[in-house]
Amino acid sequence: MNYMTRAILPVPAVKDAVPPEVQRAFRTLIQWVGEDPDREGLADTPARAARAWLEYCSGYQEDPGSHLARTFAEVGGYDDIVLLRGIPFQSHCEHHLAPIIGTASIAYLPGTEVVGISKLARVLHGFANRLQIQERLTAQVAQCIWDGLRPRGVAVVIEAQHGCMTARGVKTHGVSMVTSRMLGCFRDDAGSRSEVLALLRG
Ligand SMILES: [Zn+2]
């Protein structure tokens, strides 16, 4: 399955010149919040901020599923859960463009193949580097691994703090949101489910 949400072209590179209309948009924003965009310290901010946003949203320029293309069948008889716990990530909420900062734990029960563990983190970042809501991010990571590896089970648990809640609005610090998605045996089999939950808790 292809997880691109739009065509890959044209691909802007972070080093490319920022189009004038994009710089103008950031300039307008700076002015609108009450600043002077011509102040010396802000002179290069529109272009710099635009490049930063291109980096925050670099996931649109990749298909996260492609990281799972190379798998290994040689597992030395290992047929138990593989878990990557506490992978740090950052994303941005699609409602406020505010940062989402957290960690994800990804587990799967292999079918016939396993994948290099760094690839699971790459799948996470491919979806996190987009405008997101945490629920969809969790579901997309789980589904991508399910489709790409054909494992017997997948579990994804994400815990994150949302800038739109901690830095604005109710300004509630220290509150994190937890979402989880279980597929295959982790969803359907009570024994597998409690085993993976115990591993996820550490
Ligand atoms: Zn938000």
Side-chain angles (χ1 to χ4, degrees), residues 119-194:
K119 307 298 183 188
L120 298 178
R122 287 190 189 282
V123 169
L124 168 70
H125 295 312
F127 287 114
N129 292 332
R130 300 174 180 208
L131 301 182
Q132 278 290 7
I133 60 170
Q134 188 177 323
E135 294 89 335
R136 186 177 57 225
L137 174 63
T138 310
Q140 283 178 328
V141 171
Q143 191 63 44
C144 183
I145 293 166
W146 180 255
D147 293 339
L149 293 185
R150 298 272 156 215
R152 285 176 282 162
V154 179
V156 176
V157 177
I158 294 181
E159 178 162 3
Q161 295 203 9
H162 291 242
C164 54
M165 189 174 173
T166 56
R168 61 162 290 285
V170 290
K171 295 200 168 97
T172 309
H173 291 269
V175 175
S176 58
M177 176 170 164
V178 180
T179 46
S180 70
R181 179 75 138 205
M182 308 274 170
L183 297 173
C185 63
F186 296 147
R187 186 185 57 194
D188 303 329
D189 179 74
S192 300
R193 187 185 178 89
S194 55

Side-chain angles (χ1 to χ4, degrees), residues 93 95-96 164:
C93 90
H95 300 137
H96 303 90
C164 54

Side-chain angles (χ1 to χ4, degrees), residues 17-30:
V18 178
E21 71 272 21
V22 179
Q23 294 197 49
R24 272 200 301 278
F26 280 98
R27 195 186 145 85
T28 302
L29 178 66
I30 290 167

Side-chain angles (χ1 to χ4, degrees), residues 56-135:
Y56 302 152
C57 293
S58 59
Y60 291 114
Q61 294 166 41
E62 63 170 289
D63 173 7
S66 67
H67 299 299
L68 303 175
R70 241 187 108 215
T71 56
F72 304 91
E74 188 85 30
V75 292
Y78 186 84
D79 64 351
D80 226 315
I81 295 171
V82 177
L83 165 67
L84 209 53
R85 192 193 291 135
I87 315 160
F89 75 93
Q90 76 156 6
S91 185
H92 286 83
C93 90
E94 67 183 24
H95 300 137
H96 303 90
L97 307 184
I100 301 171
I101 293 169
T103 57
S105 294
I106 302 173
Y108 71 102
L109 185 62
T112 54
E113 288 169 305
V114 295
V115 72
I117 51 169
S118 68
K119 307 298 183 188
L120 298 178
R122 287 190 189 282
V123 169
L124 168 70
H125 295 312
F127 287 114
N129 292 332
R130 300 174 180 208
L131 301 182
Q132 278 290 7
I133 60 170
Q134 188 177 323
E135 294 89 335

